Amino acid sequence: MPEALSAALALPTLPGLLAVTLVAGVVYGFAGFGAALIFLPIATTLVDPVVAIAAFSVAALSSLVTLIPRSWAECDRRVTLLMIGASTLTLPVGIYLLRILDQQIVQIAISLVAAATLILLISGFRLPIRPGAASSTAVAGAAGVVGGATGLLGPIVILFNLASGDDARRVRANTMVFLTIGSLFVIPQMALQGLIAGSSLWLGALMLPTYAIGGLLGRRLFNPACESLYRNVAYTIIALAVLAGLSDFL
């Protein structure tokens, strides 16, 4: 057995990480957002933020098989691919911040970004930006910086997509495609800046089947007619995750 795999299996917090991964996957499957907002605040109380971000990026790749085929057919591919490209260009800046900042600061930042996102979503706030090529590029560029530094690639894009005026199914599909394909570039960029350990990759591999099962279950639960119910459930779970993430500092 590879030494890095043994290290991942020996983590005393592995059961907790797998449990949070399952919940995050289910929410992502039915709401189209929220997985990182749930997983990372809690995971950073169990492992270092860099490890949590790397492992989650690996686990999130399961959505390429479980969720993206359907979402790809429903999303606005031109705009979404443009945003993926823009976020990828700025991702190294955020990862550089992740590399140089104290890990406790990163942990707090993750929970605060998740909390701010939750407050804005509940309040009904929408980014006062008219959808278009220029605004999509700018929003995605900002998302790349925030995502690289905290692993939270989605918050700015979620708020932007909600302001587009599209129906719930299109917004969900656009967000899911952006988050899943955007995650493909996190691991290579972290590796280029020396932030990837073999045990982190193996931890992500161990989480991947659990995340996939959660995503499939959440997708089966999805019904456009129940949009408000899914949203409220997601908000509640995110709030609990934020409180857990900040528990060490309260």
Side-chain angles (χ1 to χ4, degrees):
M1 180 182 296
E3 183 178 344
L5 174 56
S6 297
L9 288 170
L11 271 176
T13 55
L14 180 59
L17 289 168
L18 293 176
V20 176
T21 300
L22 179 63
V23 174
V26 171
V27 172
Y28 189 52
F30 67 63
F33 72 95
L37 294 171
I38 293 166
F39 178 82
L40 288 174
I42 298 176
T44 53
T45 69
L46 304 175
V47 292
D48 288 343
V50 170
V51 174
I53 292 170
F56 182 76
S57 297
V58 173
L61 298 181
S62 66
S63 296
L64 289 170
V65 176
T66 59
L67 301 175
I68 291 306
R70 179 181 297 182
S71 297
W72 180 255
E74 298 172 347
C75 77
D76 184 332
R77 291 187 285 274
R78 184 184 66 82
V79 172
T80 304
L81 289 175
L82 173 66
M83 295 182 73
I84 290 169
S87 67
T88 302
L89 290 176
T90 58
L91 191 61
V93 177
I95 291 174
Y96 173 75
L97 294 174
L98 175 63
R99 180 163 64 87
I100 65 171
L101 291 175
D102 181 84
Q103 293 301 287
Q104 191 172 75
I105 292 175
V106 174
Q107 181 182 352
I108 295 172
I110 288 170
S111 291
L112 291 180
V113 170
T117 304
L118 178 62
I119 291 169
L120 292 174
L121 288 171
I122 292 174
S123 70
F125 174 83
R126 300 292 182 264
L127 287 176
I129 301 174
R130 186 174 181 177
S135 59
S136 297
T137 301
V139 166
V145 176
V146 175
T150 65
L152 297 172
L153 193 61
I156 298 173
V157 171
I158 293 167
L159 294 170
F160 179 71
N161 284 344
L162 287 172
S164 67
D166 288 331
D167 60 52
R169 188 182 294 273
R170 174 61 66 88
V171 169
R172 178 175 176 272
N174 288 347
T175 304
M176 292 180 83
V177 172
F178 172 82
L179 292 176
T180 301
I181 297 180
S183 295
L184 282 171
F185 302 97
V186 172
I187 292 297
Q189 293 289 351
M190 290 181 72
L192 285 173
Q193 298 199 37
L195 292 179
I196 293 295
S199 57
S200 300
L201 298 179
W202 277 112
L203 177 60
L206 293 172
M207 290 162 44
L208 191 149
T210 303
Y211 189 76
I213 292 169
L216 287 171
L217 178 59
R219 189 182 72 181
R220 286 184 175 274
L221 293 172
F222 177 67
N223 181 343
C226 300
E227 176 193 358
S228 61
L229 173 62
Y230 296 136
R231 187 169 58 243
N232 290 333
V233 170
Y235 291 167
T236 300
I237 297 174
I238 292 168
L240 293 173
V242 168
L243 290 174
L246 292 173
S247 61
D248 291 342
F249 310 102
L250 296 177

